[in-house]
Amino acid sequence: MTQQYLAGELSLLLAALQETTADPVPRRWFAGLRREAETAPVGALGPVAQRALQLNDALCYESLARSDSAAFRRQCAAGAELYEFGICAGLIDEE
């Protein structure tokens, strides 16, 4: 995969995660991760993906605590797509 493809796809997946919440704070965090994914060297994309997955996990727990099953489903689906991409692209290790 080319560096541009990896950065672009990661940015799109981060945008999808950003859309799973209406809370402005995590939306800003995802926006920052997107900027980092679009400008960082390819070697830094793995840590960006890891931080995004950690943030998404926190949002999932928050949605469960609020009994917001719709948000939880959206966050799980978007997180699963990012995780699968990260594994296939070699950005993250399978855990």
Side-chain angles (χ1 to χ4, degrees):
M1 291 184 223
T2 68
Q3 292 180 352
Q4 292 84 7
Y5 171 79
L6 290 174
E9 187 65 22
L10 181 56
S11 179
L12 288 173
L13 292 168
L14 293 171
L17 284 171
Q18 186 177 10
E19 292 302 314
T20 66
T21 182
D23 188 331
V25 174
R27 288 180 65 81
R28 280 194 299 272
W29 290 339
F30 281 124
L33 289 170
R34 285 182 67 200
R35 277 190 299 281
E36 193 172 340
E38 292 165 357
T39 60
V42 73
L45 296 180
V48 170
Q50 285 286 71
R51 290 195 310 273
L53 288 170
Q54 291 169 346
L55 175 55
N56 190 58
D57 283 350
L59 290 175
C60 286
Y61 282 115
E62 184 179 307
S63 294
L64 283 176
R66 289 191 329 266
S67 298
D68 188 347
S69 61
F72 178 74
R73 283 191 306 272
R74 288 190 308 272
Q75 291 156 349
C76 285
E81 285 186 42
L82 174 59
Y83 180 77
E84 185 176 328
F85 173 74
I87 294 295
C88 292
L91 298 177
I92 56 176
D93 293 326
E94 195 166 1
E95 296 174 7

